Amino acid sequence: MDSLEKAKFYSYFFHVNQRNILGLANAATLAILNQSQIKDIPLIVPANNNEIREALDFIETTTGKIGATIVKIEREIGFMREYRMSLISEVVTGKIKVV
C-alpha cells in the first residue's frame, strides 16, 4: 500500500463528509477549524490495506460508470438539440407543414 492510495482514500472520505466537517467550524466569513474541533471529527481507519484498495476500486469503478453515463447523456442531449434545430429550420422554410 503506497501513501498515494491512502491519500486518495482520505481525500474521498473528507470530500464525502465535507458538510459535517464544515458544521464543526467557526464561521463568520470564513470557516475555520481549530485543533479541538479537528479532534472531534470521527475518522474511519480501515482494518487493513486491502479494505482501502477495495474501497478505492469501488469508488473509482462507480464514478467511472457515472462519468460514462453523463458523457452519453450529454451527447444525446446534443443530438436532440440538433434535431430540434433542424425541425425548426424545416418548418420555417416550408419543407414540413405543421397542422
Side-chain angles (χ1 to χ4, degrees):
M1 168 68 46
D2 64 4
S3 58
L4 179 61
E5 288 177 313
K6 287 182 181 179
K8 285 172 89 174
F9 175 83
Y10 286 109
S11 172
Y12 288 132
F13 173 81
F14 285 113
H15 180 73
V16 167
N17 290 292
Q18 182 177 5
R19 285 188 185 175
N20 297 332
I21 294 168
L22 289 175
L24 298 171
N26 297 326
T29 305
L30 177 66
I32 298 173
L33 290 169
N34 61 35
Q35 287 182 358
S36 65
Q37 291 163 319
I38 290 173
K39 289 178 190 176
D40 291 337
I41 299 171
L43 187 63
I44 295 174
V45 179
N48 56 50
N49 292 339
N50 288 336
E51 284 188 1
I52 292 175
R53 283 192 191 100
E54 287 175 16
L56 288 175
D57 287 344
F58 174 78
I59 291 167
E60 290 170 355
T61 300
T62 303
T63 55
K65 289 177 184 177
I66 292 169
T69 302
I70 290 170
V71 167
K72 180 181 176 185
I73 291 170
E74 286 175 343
R75 191 177 72 238
E76 290 176 5
I77 290 170
F79 291 148
M80 297 289 283
R81 285 186 177 140
E82 288 177 22
Y83 181 66
R84 176 178 168 248
M85 292 305 294
S86 69
L87 281 176
I88 291 171
S89 175
E90 290 179 3
V91 168
V92 169
T93 59
K95 293 179 183 176
I96 296 177
K97 292 187 180 186
V98 180
V99 180

